[in-house]
Amino acid sequence: MPELPEVETVRKGLIPALEGRLLARVETRREGLRWPFPQNMADDMTGARVLRLRRRSKYILIDLDNGMTALIHLGMSGRILIDKAGERDDTATYYDAFTPLEKHDHVVLWTDQDTRIVFNDARRFGAMDLFETATAGDHPLLKPIGPEPLGNTFDEPYLASALAMRNTPIKSALLDQKIVAGLGNIYVCEVLWRAHISPKRKAKNLSAKRAGSLVPIIRDVLSEAIEAGGSSLKDYRQTDGELGYFQHNFAVYDRENQPCRTADCTGNIARIVQSGRSSFYCAKCQR
DNA sequence: CTGCACGCCTGCCCGC
DNA sequence: TGCGGGCAGGCGTGCA
């Protein structure tokens, strides 16, 4: 699902609901998702105050004032929704004043501001962890990840040299989180179309100039998608339940057999499978 | 070390 | 209407 723009949109949506708030109650409704949750995760989060929300690649990091950080990954189908408590009588606690939880609602946070945050993930490829904030840099999921594409260390010389080593299709190389963080299948397809580079081209066979040209394109595609609130295909939603709308701007993703949108190009979009994943591209203008 | 197939899950869509 | 097959935004594991 969610690639960097979707995760960033979720993070931004969570900020007003979580930053500075006390976690009044935390409930895990199953033992884990992709991996088991840490022992006592819910108890260890309860009563802590949220200092700030960060994002690293496709991971949301929730720094708490008890020295711990919670990590959330949305996998393919994860979504996080925010609800406000409804009407209630004087004797009821506010926990009772929400709509009933639904299938696949796996983790629920309640803050001290009549707010409920629900992590729902039908396919359970998502993950959640809790660890000491000081050890975040050594976390096995975070440590191997390459530079943030919207950050200062991601530049033309870096990407050109990183790709020059790789004897794999550029499509696969850009999906490799060690080369650049946060890209997934949709945005790699879109980036390669804008760059007029075939997804089949070997990464090491790109000139330094063409490899470097990917840097501003990656930045542009991701920035535009964040601006649009991400892309909603099926599962993904913003934290208020709204769809993202960058899917309306796709040039190639899920457009098999439709006309290429490159100016003056008469090609049609093709779908091929690389490393078990669909690549959409125009064989006429992507070389 | 690199590159790649596989498996993890549920749900939806399509063809028969 | 039902059923089987294929497909889906990710990524760690294990193999050659």
Side-chain angles (χ1 to χ4, degrees), chain A residues 5-283:
Chain A
E6 290 74 36
V7 177
E8 179 63 11
T9 300
V10 169
R11 185 188 74 89
K12 286 182 174 173
L14 287 172
I15 286 172
L18 274 179
E19 275 193 357
R21 302 275 45 95
L22 194 79
L23 298 178
R25 178 174 165 186
V26 178
E27 181 185 348
T28 52
R29 307 181 77 236
R30 54 181 302 121
E31 296 294 302
L33 293 171
R34 180 168 183 179
W35 299 288
F37 298 135
Q39 284 290 315
N40 306 319
M41 181 176 76
D43 286 346
D44 289 345
M45 294 176 70
T46 303
R49 194 170 290 279
V50 175
L51 296 176
R52 64 171 184 152
L53 294 178
R54 293 183 287 152
R55 180 189 56 74
R56 175 73 172 108
S57 190
K58 302 173 192 174
Y59 296 92
I60 291 172
L61 302 174
I62 306 173
D63 290 333
L64 305 175
D65 73 348
N66 63 0
M68 308 287 280
T69 292
L71 169 152
I72 293 178
H73 193 281
L74 298 175
M76 291 279 263
S77 56
R79 51 168 83 159
I80 300 177
L81 293 174
I82 301 169
D83 296 321
K84 302 300 278 185
E87 298 282 327
R88 62 186 188 274
D89 64 55
D90 293 343
T91 59
T93 68
Y94 95 83
Y95 303 118
D96 305 311
F98 292 94
T99 55
L101 291 169
E102 296 178 4
K103 195 174 182 183
H104 309 308
D105 286 345
H106 304 309
V107 181
V108 189
L109 314 176
W110 289 266
T111 77
D112 56 347
Q113 291 283 74
D114 284 18
T115 303
R116 183 180 76 177
I117 290 126
V118 180
F119 180 14
N120 177 291
D121 183 10
R123 292 176 71 183
R124 305 206 302 270
F125 290 171
M128 192 163 171
D129 196 10
L130 183 69
F131 48 85
E132 291 180 29
T133 305
T135 67
D138 293 321
H139 193 286
L141 293 173
L142 303 177
K143 192 166 189 178
I145 295 174
E148 285 292 324
L150 301 178
N152 295 330
T153 64
F154 182 67
D155 56 20
E156 282 87 343
Y158 164 77
L159 187 61
S161 66
L163 293 178
M165 318 299 300
R166 302 301 296 267
N167 184 34
T168 192
I170 182 65
K171 167 77 185 311
S172 306
L174 292 179
L175 283 175
D176 185 343
Q177 303 296 297
K178 292 191 287 297
I179 290 182
V180 54
L183 291 178
N185 205 34
I186 290 177
Y187 296 110
V188 168
C189 290
E190 296 298 313
V191 162
L192 291 175
W193 175 79
R194 289 196 192 188
H196 303 299
I197 294 171
S198 167
K200 294 193 283 193
R201 179 165 294 279
K202 290 279 184 104
K204 68 178 183 185
N205 290 342
L206 282 170
S207 68
K209 182 176 178 179
R210 292 190 89 199
S213 76
L214 288 163
V215 168
I217 293 173
I218 288 169
R219 287 216 179 95
D220 285 350
V221 168
L222 295 178
S223 300
E224 290 168 27
I226 291 169
E227 195 71 21
S231 302
S232 289
L233 303 186
K234 282 159 44 70
D235 302 299
Y236 168 72
R237 292 291 185 280
Q238 303 188 46
T239 54
D240 57 4
E242 290 295 310
L243 301 172
Y245 53 93
F246 191 74
Q247 65 276 14
H248 303 303
N249 296 331
F250 290 169
V252 287
Y253 188 83
D254 208 19
R255 292 193 65 243
E256 185 178 13
N257 296 327
Q258 295 180 53
C260 178
R261 290 181 172 157
T262 296
D264 300 327
C265 181
T266 57
N268 286 325
I269 303 308
R271 175 183 170 273
I272 61 173
V273 176
Q274 296 179 283
S275 312
R277 318 207 50 195
S278 289
S279 296
F280 298 89
Y281 77 113
C282 174

